[in-house]
Amino acid sequence: MAFRRHLPIMLFGCAAAVLPLALKDPYYLGILVFIGIFSIATMGLNLLMGYAGQISLGHAAFYALGAYATGILTAKYNVHFLPALAAAIIVTAGIAYVIGMACLRLKGHYLAVATLAAGEIVFICLNASVGFTGGPSGLAGIPSIEIGGFSFDSDFKFYYLVWAVFILLFILTANIINSRTGRALRCLHSSEVAAAAMGINVTTLKVQIFVLSAVYAALAGVLYGHSVTFISPQASDLMFSVKLLTMIVVGGMGHLWGGVLGAALLTLLPEALSAFHDYELIIYGSILLVIVMFLPGGLMRGFETLYVTILKKVRGRG
Amino acid sequence: MRKLLLAGALCLFVCASTVRAAEPYKIGAVFAVSGPAALLGEPERNTALMLTDQINAAGGINGHPIELIIEDNEGDEAKAVMKVKKLINDKVAAIIGPTRSGDTMAVIPIVEKAQIPLVSCAAAEDIVKPVKKWVFKTPQSDADAVRRIYEKMKDMKLTKAAIMSGTTGFGTAGREQLKKFALEYGITIVADETYGPKDTDMTAQLTKIKGTDAQAIINWEIIPAQTTVMKNKKQLGMTMPLFQSHGFGNIKYAQDAGDAAEGVLFPCGRLLAVDSLPDTNPQKAVLAKYKKDYEEKFKTDVSTFGGHGYDAYMLVVEALRAVGPDRAKIRDFIENKKGFVGTAGIFNYSAEDHCGLDKNSFEMLTVKNGKIVVAK
């Protein structure tokens, strides 16, 4: 049973493992690295929004916090990567816990505004603490990730690292969703009152899932910082939070593959369309509009419907 | 028979050389054509397109046409990284841009590793300090703008300054430089006020300055704050001279403030005041031609940002003309380039200086009857 459930991700993993051998080109590898990083961030956000039904417009803040935490520790204080990573996770989780405790009492638009404000506070702090973060001009010279003497210093190596992390987190997330906690989350999504009546500790669960999704974002940020070797407060701004959100909405909210699909589409599409120059933005916008209008559940749900329809037709004929 | 052979060989040779001559030189460019920095990126892109057309129409570089590949990174750092990787993959000889300082900082590790020359159109000092082997920039540095302001103050016998700055990257960097050089020029800073970049009223800060014995105000921010300061200062009836940073370099900003902009002093490249430059100025010919061509083609005012694009582009073209599309030779050529007349000034690059400009690249300008002219 468990094997069948994990079959798609295993097949995906095999495909991901052989793909770079076909495209050794650093440009394509670079894009795939970014898709992997964004997929990790959207996976966490999807857990929070798609499953638990809590909106966050401040996830870029956690992404940036993760990147800055390991960036500062490794670049300025020569800390090894793994302890720096542990520190980054603890710091981000701690901050997410505080923000979550304060914000998650709110619902709907109020929650959206509160998380937006929290993100903005982080943005301002990163800009203002010049001595520590480098301020608006950013933090340069972040070293490559080194684990046990092995340095991930090329796009080729980094590709495997990013997608390995992605697959591990995917399996973890799939297990959470199919567990008791996952069912509680979905229950929370449809009705908080009902969830509370069923004996679910609503506040605790909300904060737990908020912290977990913040840690996903932080991990993505850590990978981003060490792959680009530079980070600036831009990574924590509202536009990036909105971008992550768009990825989920387009890809499929409440569907594990939705985040990956959205991340891939939103990263690849502008690259593919760049040949159109001035018309790029118009075409890009139109495609997103069409998806949101005709496939409100996102691409993943659209594919599912299509699959079911075809299956029915085939069976009907048979 | 021998004649025929000779003619055949000659024909082959001519064919071969024309085939070789037709091989284009590839220049890559990353500009923030859309997004929040589009005001800067668009004129840069327009300039690069215009220059490519001009050079190709005139027969290219030593017979080689230029193939310009422009990428729009939308002012986004992650995108800048992707675009630069793409350009490296496209085997361009050199890259001009990116537009923003942050975008430039993000791509430096890649160009250093790939060993490809990059001529940035962004201003931050961090880009060239410390010197990176493959990275150059064309805009002037904040420190030189500060030097020019302090020199002017000395000329005017003013020694007490009140400084105002926004809490942005630009404002913060300017404030640091203002404080750093004050002592050297014998200037005392009697007030140091900051404000949020989107604040719509500076009366509080100005009233505080009014209470000090400041003889001049130096304001370091871009729009809209730089306009607000001028308006509020006029409303408060303060008559002391006001200096703005080189971020004031667009006639539209002066127009926004109307009367209040009259007499404001700011250090800037000479592009905006080209009409009031003496004919003996070595930059005048370059500036006048660029301004005329640009305004005729795009029906809009020329800006210093497009000028930074011009300088970066022409620097690469000169290098290609001299040494061909060899990346290492292009880098060496730019590093040793002296006396290159650009729009921002006369560039003298060296192994220690990858910006190439000094304080003389700035001219002290003022607004007179709604026009930007050289300050007397």
Side-chain angles (χ1 to χ4, degrees), chain A residues 48-103:
Chain A
L48 181 72
M49 292 184 62
Y51 291 92
Q54 309 299 313
I55 195 167
S56 167
L57 284 176
H59 251 54
F62 302 121
Y63 180 85
L65 280 172
Y68 269 105
T70 56
I72 291 171
L73 286 173
T74 53
K76 289 195 171 174
Y77 299 101
N78 293 322
V79 178
H80 282 292
F81 175 71
L82 286 176
L85 178 68
I89 291 173
I90 292 166
V91 167
T92 320
I95 293 175
Y97 181 76
V98 174
I99 293 175
M101 284 304 269
C103 292

Short mmCIF file of all heavy atoms in Angstrom, two decimals, chain A residues 48-103:
data_model
loop_
_atom_site.label_atom_id
_atom_site.label_comp_id
_atom_site.label_asym_id
_atom_site.label_seq_id
_atom_site.Cartn_x
_atom_site.Cartn_y
_atom_site.Cartn_z
N LEU A 48 0.08 24.45 4.17
CA LEU A 48 -0.61 25.43 5.01
C LEU A 48 -1.91 25.92 4.36
O LEU A 48 -2.96 25.97 5.00
CB LEU A 48 0.32 26.63 5.24
CG LEU A 48 -0.22 27.75 6.12
CD1 LEU A 48 -0.28 27.30 7.56
CD2 LEU A 48 0.64 28.99 5.99
N MET A 49 -1.83 26.24 3.08
CA MET A 49 -3.00 26.84 2.41
C MET A 49 -3.94 25.81 1.82
O MET A 49 -5.15 25.88 1.99
CB MET A 49 -2.54 27.80 1.32
CG MET A 49 -1.87 29.03 1.90
SD MET A 49 -1.44 30.21 0.63
CE MET A 49 -3.02 30.60 -0.03
N GLY A 50 -3.37 24.86 1.08
CA GLY A 50 -4.20 23.89 0.39
C GLY A 50 -4.84 22.89 1.33
O GLY A 50 -5.97 22.45 1.11
N TYR A 51 -4.12 22.49 2.37
CA TYR A 51 -4.65 21.46 3.26
C TYR A 51 -5.29 22.06 4.51
O TYR A 51 -6.39 21.70 4.88
CB TYR A 51 -3.57 20.44 3.62
CG TYR A 51 -3.20 19.61 2.42
CD1 TYR A 51 -2.16 19.98 1.58
CD2 TYR A 51 -3.94 18.48 2.09
CE1 TYR A 51 -1.85 19.24 0.45
CE2 TYR A 51 -3.64 17.73 0.95
CZ TYR A 51 -2.60 18.11 0.14
OH TYR A 51 -2.30 17.40 -0.98
N ALA A 52 -4.57 22.98 5.19
CA ALA A 52 -5.12 23.51 6.44
C ALA A 52 -6.00 24.74 6.19
O ALA A 52 -6.68 25.20 7.10
CB ALA A 52 -3.99 23.88 7.39
N GLY A 53 -5.96 25.28 4.98
CA GLY A 53 -6.83 26.40 4.65
C GLY A 53 -6.46 27.72 5.32
O GLY A 53 -7.29 28.59 5.49
N GLN A 54 -5.19 27.88 5.70
CA GLN A 54 -4.74 29.14 6.31
C GLN A 54 -3.89 29.90 5.30
O GLN A 54 -2.93 29.35 4.77
CB GLN A 54 -3.90 28.87 7.57
CG GLN A 54 -4.55 27.94 8.57
CD GLN A 54 -5.86 28.49 9.10
OE1 GLN A 54 -5.94 29.64 9.49
NE2 GLN A 54 -6.90 27.66 9.11
N ILE A 55 -4.21 31.16 5.07
CA ILE A 55 -3.47 31.92 4.07
C ILE A 55 -2.22 32.55 4.69
O ILE A 55 -2.21 32.89 5.87
CB ILE A 55 -4.37 33.00 3.42
CG1 ILE A 55 -3.72 33.54 2.14
CG2 ILE A 55 -4.68 34.13 4.39
CD1 ILE A 55 -4.65 34.36 1.30
N SER A 56 -1.16 32.64 3.90
CA SER A 56 0.02 33.38 4.35
C SER A 56 0.58 34.22 3.20
O SER A 56 0.87 33.69 2.14
CB SER A 56 1.11 32.43 4.85
OG SER A 56 2.32 33.14 5.01
N LEU A 57 0.71 35.51 3.44
CA LEU A 57 1.31 36.39 2.44
C LEU A 57 2.70 36.83 2.90
O LEU A 57 3.24 37.81 2.44
CB LEU A 57 0.44 37.64 2.22
CG LEU A 57 -0.82 37.42 1.39
CD1 LEU A 57 -1.65 38.68 1.32
CD2 LEU A 57 -0.44 36.99 -0.02
N GLY A 58 3.26 36.07 3.87
CA GLY A 58 4.56 36.48 4.38
C GLY A 58 5.60 35.38 4.28
O GLY A 58 6.62 35.42 4.96
N HIS A 59 5.36 34.39 3.41
CA HIS A 59 6.28 33.26 3.40
C HIS A 59 7.66 33.61 2.87
O HIS A 59 8.63 32.94 3.21
CB HIS A 59 5.67 32.10 2.63
CG HIS A 59 5.27 30.98 3.54
ND1 HIS A 59 4.43 31.19 4.61
CD2 HIS A 59 5.62 29.67 3.57
CE1 HIS A 59 4.29 30.05 5.25
NE2 HIS A 59 4.99 29.12 4.65
N ALA A 60 7.75 34.65 2.05
CA ALA A 60 9.07 35.07 1.55
C ALA A 60 9.98 35.43 2.72
O ALA A 60 11.19 35.24 2.65
CB ALA A 60 8.92 36.26 0.62
N ALA A 61 9.40 35.92 3.82
CA ALA A 61 10.20 36.29 4.98
C ALA A 61 10.95 35.09 5.54
O ALA A 61 12.14 35.18 5.86
CB ALA A 61 9.30 36.90 6.06
N PHE A 62 10.28 33.94 5.62
CA PHE A 62 10.93 32.74 6.16
C PHE A 62 12.01 32.24 5.20
O PHE A 62 13.06 31.76 5.61
CB PHE A 62 9.90 31.65 6.44
CG PHE A 62 8.84 32.11 7.39
CD1 PHE A 62 7.51 32.11 7.03
CD2 PHE A 62 9.18 32.57 8.66
CE1 PHE A 62 6.54 32.56 7.91
CE2 PHE A 62 8.22 33.02 9.54
CZ PHE A 62 6.89 33.01 9.16
N TYR A 63 11.70 32.35 3.93
CA TYR A 63 12.66 31.98 2.88
C TYR A 63 13.94 32.82 3.06
O TYR A 63 15.04 32.29 3.11
CB TYR A 63 11.98 32.28 1.55
CG TYR A 63 12.73 31.99 0.28
CD1 TYR A 63 12.72 30.72 -0.28
CD2 TYR A 63 13.39 33.00 -0.40
CE1 TYR A 63 13.36 30.46 -1.48
CE2 TYR A 63 14.03 32.76 -1.60
CZ TYR A 63 14.01 31.48 -2.13
OH TYR A 63 14.64 31.24 -3.33
N ALA A 64 13.75 34.13 3.22
CA ALA A 64 14.91 35.02 3.38
C ALA A 64 15.63 34.76 4.70
O ALA A 64 16.86 34.75 4.76
CB ALA A 64 14.47 36.47 3.29
N LEU A 65 14.84 34.51 5.77
CA LEU A 65 15.47 34.26 7.08
C LEU A 65 16.37 33.04 7.01
O LEU A 65 17.49 33.03 7.53
CB LEU A 65 14.40 34.05 8.15
CG LEU A 65 13.76 35.33 8.70
CD1 LEU A 65 12.59 34.99 9.60
CD2 LEU A 65 14.80 36.15 9.48
N GLY A 66 15.90 31.99 6.35
CA GLY A 66 16.71 30.79 6.20
C GLY A 66 18.00 31.09 5.47
O GLY A 66 19.09 30.72 5.91
N ALA A 67 17.86 31.82 4.35
CA ALA A 67 19.03 32.13 3.54
C ALA A 67 20.03 33.00 4.31
O ALA A 67 21.23 32.75 4.29
CB ALA A 67 18.60 32.84 2.26
N TYR A 68 19.50 34.02 5.01
CA TYR A 68 20.39 34.90 5.78
C TYR A 68 21.06 34.17 6.93
O TYR A 68 22.24 34.38 7.22
CB TYR A 68 19.61 36.11 6.31
CG TYR A 68 19.62 37.29 5.37
CD1 TYR A 68 18.51 37.61 4.62
CD2 TYR A 68 20.76 38.08 5.23
CE1 TYR A 68 18.53 38.69 3.75
CE2 TYR A 68 20.79 39.15 4.36
CZ TYR A 68 19.66 39.46 3.62
OH TYR A 68 19.69 40.52 2.77
N ALA A 69 20.29 33.30 7.61
CA ALA A 69 20.84 32.63 8.80
C ALA A 69 22.07 31.80 8.43
O ALA A 69 23.15 31.99 9.00
CB ALA A 69 19.77 31.75 9.46
N THR A 70 21.93 30.90 7.45
CA THR A 70 23.12 30.10 7.11
C THR A 70 24.14 30.96 6.37
O THR A 70 25.33 30.75 6.52
CB THR A 70 22.78 28.88 6.21
OG1 THR A 70 22.13 29.36 5.04
CG2 THR A 70 21.92 27.88 6.92
N GLY A 71 23.66 31.93 5.60
CA GLY A 71 24.58 32.80 4.87
C GLY A 71 25.51 33.54 5.82
O GLY A 71 26.73 33.53 5.66
N ILE A 72 24.92 34.19 6.83
CA ILE A 72 25.73 34.97 7.77
C ILE A 72 26.66 34.05 8.57
O ILE A 72 27.85 34.31 8.72
CB ILE A 72 24.82 35.78 8.72
CG1 ILE A 72 24.11 36.89 7.93
CG2 ILE A 72 25.62 36.39 9.87
CD1 ILE A 72 23.04 37.62 8.70
N LEU A 73 26.10 32.93 9.05
CA LEU A 73 26.92 32.03 9.88
C LEU A 73 28.10 31.45 9.10
O LEU A 73 29.22 31.38 9.61
CB LEU A 73 26.06 30.90 10.45
CG LEU A 73 25.12 31.31 11.57
CD1 LEU A 73 24.19 30.18 11.96
CD2 LEU A 73 25.92 31.76 12.80
N THR A 74 27.86 31.03 7.85
CA THR A 74 28.96 30.42 7.11
C THR A 74 29.92 31.46 6.53
O THR A 74 31.12 31.25 6.52
CB THR A 74 28.43 29.53 5.95
OG1 THR A 74 27.54 30.30 5.16
CG2 THR A 74 27.74 28.30 6.46
N ALA A 75 29.37 32.60 6.06
CA ALA A 75 30.23 33.58 5.40
C ALA A 75 31.00 34.44 6.41
O ALA A 75 32.18 34.72 6.23
CB ALA A 75 29.42 34.48 4.47
N LYS A 76 30.32 34.85 7.49
CA LYS A 76 30.98 35.79 8.41
C LYS A 76 31.64 35.11 9.60
O LYS A 76 32.61 35.61 10.14
CB LYS A 76 29.94 36.80 8.94
CG LYS A 76 29.50 37.81 7.89
CD LYS A 76 28.79 38.97 8.54
CE LYS A 76 28.55 40.07 7.54
NZ LYS A 76 27.75 41.15 8.11
N TYR A 77 31.06 33.98 10.04
CA TYR A 77 31.60 33.36 11.26
C TYR A 77 32.24 32.00 11.00
O TYR A 77 32.57 31.28 11.94
CB TYR A 77 30.49 33.23 12.31
CG TYR A 77 29.93 34.58 12.70
CD1 TYR A 77 28.73 35.04 12.18
CD2 TYR A 77 30.64 35.42 13.56
CE1 TYR A 77 28.23 36.29 12.52
CE2 TYR A 77 30.16 36.67 13.90
CZ TYR A 77 28.96 37.10 13.38
OH TYR A 77 28.47 38.34 13.71
N ASN A 78 32.36 31.65 9.69
CA ASN A 78 33.02 30.39 9.32
C ASN A 78 32.46 29.15 10.02
O ASN A 78 33.19 28.22 10.30
CB ASN A 78 34.52 30.47 9.58
CG ASN A 78 35.18 31.46 8.66
OD1 ASN A 78 34.81 31.56 7.49
ND2 ASN A 78 36.11 32.23 9.18
N VAL A 79 31.16 29.16 10.30
CA VAL A 79 30.53 27.99 10.90
C VAL A 79 30.37 26.95 9.80
O VAL A 79 30.17 27.29 8.64
CB VAL A 79 29.15 28.37 11.48
CG1 VAL A 79 28.44 27.17 12.06
CG2 VAL A 79 29.32 29.46 12.53
N HIS A 80 30.48 25.66 10.14
CA HIS A 80 30.25 24.62 9.13
C HIS A 80 28.79 24.62 8.70
O HIS A 80 27.92 25.08 9.43
CB HIS A 80 30.63 23.25 9.69
CG HIS A 80 32.11 23.04 9.69
ND1 HIS A 80 32.81 22.93 8.51
CD2 HIS A 80 33.00 22.98 10.69
CE1 HIS A 80 34.10 22.79 8.81
NE2 HIS A 80 34.25 22.84 10.13
N PHE A 81 28.53 24.06 7.53
CA PHE A 81 27.18 24.16 6.99
C PHE A 81 26.13 23.49 7.86
O PHE A 81 25.09 24.09 8.14
CB PHE A 81 27.12 23.60 5.57
CG PHE A 81 25.73 23.59 5.02
CD1 PHE A 81 25.10 24.78 4.68
CD2 PHE A 81 25.03 22.40 4.88
CE1 PHE A 81 23.80 24.79 4.20
CE2 PHE A 81 23.72 22.40 4.41
CZ PHE A 81 23.11 23.60 4.07
N LEU A 82 26.37 22.25 8.30
CA LEU A 82 25.31 21.53 9.02
C LEU A 82 24.89 22.20 10.32
O LEU A 82 23.69 22.38 10.55
CB LEU A 82 25.71 20.07 9.23
CG LEU A 82 25.62 19.22 7.94
CD1 LEU A 82 26.11 17.81 8.18
CD2 LEU A 82 24.23 19.22 7.34
N PRO A 83 25.84 22.62 11.18
CA PRO A 83 25.39 23.38 12.37
C PRO A 83 24.68 24.68 12.00
O PRO A 83 23.69 25.06 12.65
CB PRO A 83 26.69 23.71 13.12
CG PRO A 83 27.77 22.99 12.46
CD PRO A 83 27.27 22.33 11.23
N ALA A 84 25.13 25.33 10.93
CA ALA A 84 24.47 26.56 10.49
C ALA A 84 23.04 26.27 10.05
O ALA A 84 22.11 27.02 10.35
CB ALA A 84 25.26 27.20 9.34
N LEU A 85 22.89 25.14 9.37
CA LEU A 85 21.55 24.74 8.92
C LEU A 85 20.63 24.50 10.12
O LEU A 85 19.48 24.95 10.14
CB LEU A 85 21.65 23.47 8.06
CG LEU A 85 20.34 22.89 7.55
CD1 LEU A 85 19.73 23.83 6.52
CD2 LEU A 85 20.53 21.51 6.95
N ALA A 86 21.17 23.80 11.12
CA ALA A 86 20.38 23.53 12.32
C ALA A 86 19.96 24.86 12.96
O ALA A 86 18.79 25.05 13.34
CB ALA A 86 21.19 22.69 13.30
N ALA A 87 20.91 25.79 13.04
CA ALA A 87 20.60 27.09 13.64
C ALA A 87 19.52 27.81 12.82
O ALA A 87 18.58 28.40 13.37
CB ALA A 87 21.86 27.95 13.70
N ALA A 88 19.65 27.73 11.50
CA ALA A 88 18.68 28.41 10.63
C ALA A 88 17.28 27.85 10.86
O ALA A 88 16.30 28.60 10.94
CB ALA A 88 19.07 28.23 9.16
N ILE A 89 17.19 26.52 10.97
CA ILE A 89 15.88 25.90 11.17
C ILE A 89 15.30 26.31 12.52
O ILE A 89 14.13 26.68 12.63
CB ILE A 89 15.99 24.37 11.04
CG1 ILE A 89 16.29 24.00 9.60
CG2 ILE A 89 14.70 23.69 11.51
CD1 ILE A 89 16.58 22.54 9.36
N ILE A 90 16.15 26.30 13.54
CA ILE A 90 15.65 26.65 14.88
C ILE A 90 15.20 28.11 14.91
O ILE A 90 14.12 28.44 15.43
CB ILE A 90 16.74 26.39 15.95
CG1 ILE A 90 16.98 24.89 16.07
CG2 ILE A 90 16.35 26.98 17.29
CD1 ILE A 90 18.24 24.50 16.81
N VAL A 91 16.01 29.01 14.34
CA VAL A 91 15.67 30.44 14.35
C VAL A 91 14.36 30.69 13.60
O VAL A 91 13.45 31.34 14.09
CB VAL A 91 16.81 31.27 13.71
CG1 VAL A 91 16.35 32.68 13.41
CG2 VAL A 91 18.02 31.29 14.62
N THR A 92 14.26 30.11 12.39
CA THR A 92 13.06 30.34 11.59
C THR A 92 11.83 29.75 12.28
O THR A 92 10.77 30.38 12.34
CB THR A 92 13.20 29.71 10.20
OG1 THR A 92 14.51 29.93 9.74
CG2 THR A 92 12.22 30.32 9.23
N ALA A 93 11.99 28.53 12.81
CA ALA A 93 10.86 27.90 13.48
C ALA A 93 10.43 28.75 14.67
O ALA A 93 9.23 28.94 14.92
CB ALA A 93 11.24 26.49 13.93
N GLY A 94 11.41 29.29 15.41
CA GLY A 94 11.10 30.12 16.57
C GLY A 94 10.32 31.36 16.18
O GLY A 94 9.28 31.69 16.77
N ILE A 95 10.82 32.04 15.13
CA ILE A 95 10.15 33.26 14.68
C ILE A 95 8.75 32.92 14.14
O ILE A 95 7.77 33.62 14.42
CB ILE A 95 11.01 33.99 13.63
CG1 ILE A 95 12.28 34.50 14.29
CG2 ILE A 95 10.24 35.14 12.99
CD1 ILE A 95 13.28 35.13 13.35
N ALA A 96 8.66 31.82 13.39
CA ALA A 96 7.36 31.41 12.84
C ALA A 96 6.39 31.09 13.98
O ALA A 96 5.20 31.40 13.89
CB ALA A 96 7.54 30.19 11.94
N TYR A 97 6.91 30.49 15.05
CA TYR A 97 6.06 30.16 16.19
C TYR A 97 5.46 31.43 16.79
O TYR A 97 4.26 31.52 17.05
CB TYR A 97 6.88 29.39 17.23
CG TYR A 97 6.08 28.98 18.45
CD1 TYR A 97 5.20 27.91 18.37
CD2 TYR A 97 6.20 29.67 19.65
CE1 TYR A 97 4.46 27.52 19.47
CE2 TYR A 97 5.46 29.31 20.76
CZ TYR A 97 4.59 28.22 20.68
OH TYR A 97 3.85 27.86 21.77
N VAL A 98 6.32 32.43 17.00
CA VAL A 98 5.86 33.69 17.59
C VAL A 98 4.83 34.36 16.67
O VAL A 98 3.74 34.76 17.11
CB VAL A 98 7.05 34.65 17.83
CG1 VAL A 98 6.56 36.01 18.29
CG2 VAL A 98 8.00 34.04 18.85
N ILE A 99 5.17 34.44 15.37
CA ILE A 99 4.25 35.06 14.41
C ILE A 99 2.95 34.25 14.35
O ILE A 99 1.85 34.80 14.36
CB ILE A 99 4.89 35.16 13.01
CG1 ILE A 99 6.07 36.13 13.04
CG2 ILE A 99 3.87 35.59 11.96
CD1 ILE A 99 6.85 36.21 11.74
N GLY A 100 3.09 32.93 14.31
CA GLY A 100 1.92 32.06 14.21
C GLY A 100 0.99 32.21 15.40
O GLY A 100 -0.23 32.32 15.25
N MET A 101 1.56 32.26 16.61
CA MET A 101 0.75 32.41 17.82
C MET A 101 -0.07 33.71 17.75
O MET A 101 -1.22 33.76 18.18
CB MET A 101 1.64 32.46 19.07
CG MET A 101 2.19 31.11 19.48
SD MET A 101 0.91 29.90 19.77
CE MET A 101 0.61 30.14 21.51
N ALA A 102 0.56 34.74 17.22
CA ALA A 102 -0.12 36.04 17.17
C ALA A 102 -1.14 36.10 16.03
O ALA A 102 -2.24 36.60 16.22
CB ALA A 102 0.92 37.15 17.00
N CYS A 103 -0.75 35.58 14.87
CA CYS A 103 -1.58 35.78 13.67
C CYS A 103 -2.71 34.78 13.52
O CYS A 103 -3.77 35.11 13.01
CB CYS A 103 -0.72 35.72 12.41
SG CYS A 103 0.43 37.07 12.25
#
